[in-house]
Amino acid sequence: MKATDVFTVGCYIGGKWTFPDETRIIEVKNPADGSLIARVPRGDQEEVDLAVQAAKKAFYSEEWRVLQPYKRGKILFEMAEMIRQHKKELARLETLNVGKPLNQAEVDVEVAARYFEFYAGVADKIMGETIPIESGIIDYTVREPIGIVGHIIPWNYPLQIAARSIAVSIATGNAAVLKPAEDTPLTTLKLVELMESLELPKGIVNVVTGYGHEAGAALSAHKEINHITFTGSVETGKRVMEAAAQNIVPVTLELGGKSPNIVFADCNEEKALEWVLRSIVQNAGQTCSAGSRLVIEKSIKETFVPKLAAAMEKLTIGPGIDNHDLGPVLSKKQFERIQSFIDTAKADGIHIVTGGKRAFVENCEYGYYIQPTILDNVPPNHLVAQEEIFGPVLTVTTFESEDEAIVLANSTPYGLVAGVWTENVGRAHRVANQLQCGQVFINHYGAGGGVPMPFGGYKQSGFGREKGLEAIRNYTQVKNIAVKY
Ligand code: NAD
């Protein structure tokens, strides 16, 4: 697969590349300038069914059943190395397809490799327990694979999320069917292409490209899927959950956020400025865990916000491949969605400190770039302080006491991540304990968190945890065995 020419790449089902007819094609574009980069199949119910059958055959095969866990781990270690060997190609492909700066895509490649490494080490450590019952009975549990697992992948971090999906599925002994987002399937397909040389039974990993309402809906409603993992919007998450409910299939939902950076007057200002900025401009703000709300102590706002705005205005905007600070947003549709939030704020009299407009980039008429934006004095219940904008748009709200900071931080329907900036250790812990979210960062901010850290939401940010050892629970089921002797 070359990243420079327009190429066609198929679905990957049962170890074979399949190309449905010419009339069922999706054109994949480069967000930097709108140019065509690839064509992939518009898979639907038919391809999803073929993929599920292939996964089922592989999952129940003798070959998979007897493969020792450490050997699954060995395959995953090999994959981690393979990813590193193809670092340049994968990063370039991710940048071409998603639009993000190349240096961010390179980080994504390393994180993808780390997922394989982490779960490689886990594969032979998935253990049960012995439970004391009474003399004459041995009672023990085994943690078994759940079966055929479906993964619906979003477009903002396709490589990282495909990697964590594949790695944990294999480590836990399942067979997987992945449905990448229609706009960004290329690195998922590249990953399975790389996996072809490994000694993995065919059908253990399958990829069906296609639209959400067709292939995605077919996967979430499939009767022979045993678990669905979905990352994306709340609305689509509800649809996936409803479909899975018809088959009593468990779901893991990671549905984005409206994460606050809570900045107290006693913080290390330099560090807080650096990370508040990074956490909203990374991937042009298209990050589920973006720090999209600045909740700041009133006494320092007038010095902090102008410094932040000045730093934002220095950022460069342009094609990700040239390593600008901000690349384009994914598409015209996403741009219009972001702009409409800014326009609503403006119409309601909210002050725009900086940004607020489309950024025009030479020779990229069909690329959609947006200036990083700060909206000041945003009422906490305003739409822009409540909804996930998914662009480089930061809202600012002030507080005067610790209690007020906590109320503000918890005041949205979401609860994914929060940053707390204070040099007071007691306050840091008091606040962290009261935040309704899945990850808290004190005096730093790791958008998305690290590979070993459990990641997932409170409230409408979803439920279940990906990453780390915690994810093992999603992909296994517990069997209790009682032996009378
Ligand atoms: P989406 O939730 O519709 O899409 C995410 C994935 O779900 C894609 O693979 C898509 O093909 C699939 N999908 C769509 N409809 C489906 C259905 N009916 N059944 C099963 N799968 C389906 O998101 P979007 O429309 O691409 O983006 C809209 C907004 O969602 C964004 O602006 C952002 O706010 C949010 N979003 C959040 C994340 C995140 O990481 N939390 C990722 C993507 C989008």
Side-chain angles (χ1 to χ4, degrees):
M1 209 198 284
K2 272 209 279 173
T4 42
D5 309 319
V6 176
F7 56 89
T8 302
V9 58
C11 296
Y12 188 68
I13 299 176
K16 294 201 180 87
W17 295 95
T18 65
F19 302 87
D21 64 78
E22 281 288 307
T23 58
R24 291 168 58 211
I25 289 290
I26 296 176
E27 293 195 327
V28 180
K29 305 272 176 65
N30 178 351
D33 57 9
S35 59
L36 181 65
I37 36 180
R39 296 184 184 86
V40 298
R42 178 177 169 174
D44 59 17
Q45 177 78 53
E46 193 179 327
E47 283 70 37
V48 166
D49 198 44
L50 288 171
V52 172
Q53 296 317 321
K56 209 174 140 189
K57 189 169 165 206
F59 179 72
Y60 289 106
S61 69
E62 182 71 1
E63 187 187 5
W64 188 239
R65 201 178 57 78
V66 301
L67 191 70
Q68 289 125 302
Y70 87 91
K71 287 196 177 158
R72 297 202 302 266
K74 196 161 167 279
I75 292 169
L76 295 175
F77 274 127
E78 285 165 4
M79 187 59 189
E81 278 318 298
M82 186 92 80
I83 289 173
R84 290 201 178 97
Q85 282 161 17
H86 291 81
K87 178 172 178 169
K88 279 201 168 139
E89 191 183 352
L90 280 164
R92 187 177 149 76
L93 198 56
E94 189 77 333
T95 286
L96 284 176
N97 198 180
V98 184
K100 64 178 65 182
L102 193 58
N103 51 19
Q104 292 180 23
E106 282 166 359
V107 171
D108 290 357
V109 176
E110 178 54 24
V111 173
R114 287 275 294 114
Y115 278 122
F116 278 93
E117 231 161 37
F118 181 87
Y119 288 111
V122 168
D124 60 357
K125 297 166 196 73
I126 299 170
M127 300 173 192
E129 296 170 332
T130 54
I131 301 169
I133 304 286
E134 62 183 48
S135 172
I137 293 182
I138 294 176
D139 193 86
Y140 65 98
T141 63
V142 282
R143 208 164 254 286
E144 298 185 332
I146 200 158
I148 317 304
V149 291
H151 299 267
I152 299 174
I153 315 269
W155 45 261
N156 52 345
Y157 289 83
L159 175 61
Q160 277 200 34
I161 297 178
R164 84 180 186 211
S165 301
I166 295 172
V168 73
S169 300
I170 293 177
T172 46
N174 293 292
V177 178
L178 276 68
K179 205 297 286 174
E182 48 272 35
D183 293 303
T184 61
L186 300 184
T187 45
T188 304
L189 293 165
K190 184 70 200 174
L191 276 184
V192 290
E193 187 192 299
L194 292 178
M195 294 188 84
E196 282 193 292
S197 61
L198 305 177
E199 282 181 32
L200 190 70
K202 306 298 173 205
I204 287 298
V205 180
N206 307 274
V207 180
V208 177
T209 55
Y211 290 112
H213 66 282
E214 295 178 346
L219 186 59
S220 38
H222 203 288
K223 289 190 177 342
E224 291 179 278
I225 285 279
N226 305 110
H227 180 272
I228 286 274
T229 296
F230 169 81
T231 305
S233 62
V234 173
E235 282 318 308
T236 306
K238 286 181 194 167
R239 269 183 229 128
V240 167
M241 196 172 165
E242 275 165 18
Q246 302 312 311
N247 303 317
I248 318 290
V249 164
V251 292
T252 301
L253 300 178
E254 200 268 89
L255 306 178
K258 191 72 184 170
S259 302
N261 267 302
I262 309 159
V263 179
F264 287 91
D266 64 4
C267 72
N268 175 328
E269 190 195 58
E270 197 185 327
K271 279 273 163 242
L273 274 167
E274 180 192 339
W275 284 95
V276 169
L277 181 67
R278 281 172 74 156
S279 71
I280 187 60
V281 298
Q282 181 177 320
N283 197 18
Q286 304 166 114
T287 302
C288 46
S289 53
S292 54
R293 288 186 296 142
L294 171 60
V295 176
I296 187 164
E297 192 157 350
K298 198 170 180 186
S299 60
I300 57 162
K301 194 200 93 174
E302 294 308 331
T303 52
F304 192 94
V305 171
K307 284 182 192 167
L308 187 65
M312 254 187 192
E313 283 158 15
K314 284 199 195 117
L315 298 176
T316 64
I317 304 176
I321 208 78
D322 299 331
N323 254 332
H324 286 278
D325 298 314
L326 276 95
V329 294
L330 180 79
S331 60
K332 186 171 186 233
K333 180 180 141 204
Q334 285 302 319
F335 169 79
E336 287 172 349
R337 188 173 176 278
I338 299 164
Q339 191 66 57
S340 82
F341 278 108
I342 297 173
D343 292 345
T344 305
K346 220 190 306 185
D348 291 344
I350 290 172
H351 173 53
I352 300 177
V353 181
T354 186
K357 296 201 186 87
R358 181 171 175 188
F360 288 93
V361 172
E362 208 180 332
N363 298 326
C364 295
E365 193 189 338
Y366 296 105
Y368 291 87
Y369 298 81
I370 189 151
Q371 297 170 335
T373 300
I374 300 178
L375 304 175
D376 200 5
N377 280 332
V378 177
N381 58 354
H382 192 278
L383 182 78
V384 294
Q386 291 286 315
E387 278 304 312
E388 184 175 53
I389 298 177
F390 230 54
V393 181
L394 180 71
T395 64
V396 181
T397 310
T398 57
F399 63 85
E400 292 185 69
S401 69
E402 200 177 294
D403 286 347
E404 196 187 353
I406 293 162
V407 170
L408 281 173
N410 290 336
S411 68
T412 79
Y414 295 99
L416 194 57
V417 172
V420 182
W421 298 89
T422 174
E423 295 290 285
N424 178 330
V425 178
R427 163 178 283 163
H429 287 287
R430 275 196 307 276
V431 174
N433 286 340
Q434 293 179 75
L435 290 172
Q436 297 161 359
C437 61
Q439 282 190 340
V440 178
F441 291 96
I442 296 169
N443 294 330
H444 67 134
Y445 196 99
V451 168
M453 295 179 191
F455 182 61
Y458 280 33
K459 302 191 284 184
Q460 289 194 19
S461 288
F463 53 81
R465 295 291 177 267
E466 288 295 326
K467 307 186 181 185
L469 292 179
E470 200 65 33
I472 300 298
R473 295 177 196 270
N474 298 335
Y475 299 97
T476 53
Q477 50 197 342
V478 174
K479 182 182 280 173
N480 188 88
I481 299 174
V483 188
K484 182 110 174 121
Y485 65 90

